[in-house]
Amino acid sequence: MPKKSCATCRSLQEEHRFLKPPEADWLKKETGRKNVDGFMVCEALLADGEKQCRNLRHYFREKPFKEPLRLPDPT
């Protein structure tokens, strides 16, 4: 199966991971969803090389929201 790139940062590398519990809690509050299983966050580095993209996707669906939704940077 060919790897898909991130719809937001257009990284050619597949660097997504499933959400950690605090991130899942944030997404539930942000979207009003009760279940956020299957959501993944892009870990590809952006052009500046310091920050991660953090765009959300749902399994292989690159654009689960009308506008790209990114997790806030970890504090």
Side-chain angles (χ1 to χ4, degrees):
M1 175 184 294
K3 292 184 176 182
K4 293 187 177 186
S5 65
C6 177
T8 301
C9 70
R10 298 290 178 207
S11 171
L12 297 177
Q13 296 180 354
E14 184 69 31
E15 297 186 34
H16 288 76
R17 64 167 172 78
F18 288 103
L19 302 180
K20 296 176 183 174
E23 295 167 338
D25 290 341
W26 177 86
L27 184 57
K28 286 177 185 176
K29 290 177 189 171
E30 187 71 16
T31 63
R33 294 174 183 240
K34 292 183 179 184
N35 184 340
V36 293
D37 292 342
F39 278 92
M40 304 169 78
V41 61
C42 180
E43 291 189 313
L45 293 177
L46 296 175
D48 62 9
E50 293 184 20
K51 290 192 174 187
Q52 292 178 340
C53 171
R54 301 188 62 78
N55 183 47
L56 293 169
R57 77 185 303 164
H58 189 258
Y59 290 112
F60 292 104
R61 189 170 163 210
E62 291 184 4
K63 299 177 183 178
F65 307 104
K66 285 185 179 183
E67 295 294 323
L69 183 60
R70 291 185 172 162
L71 281 175
D73 288 328
T75 54

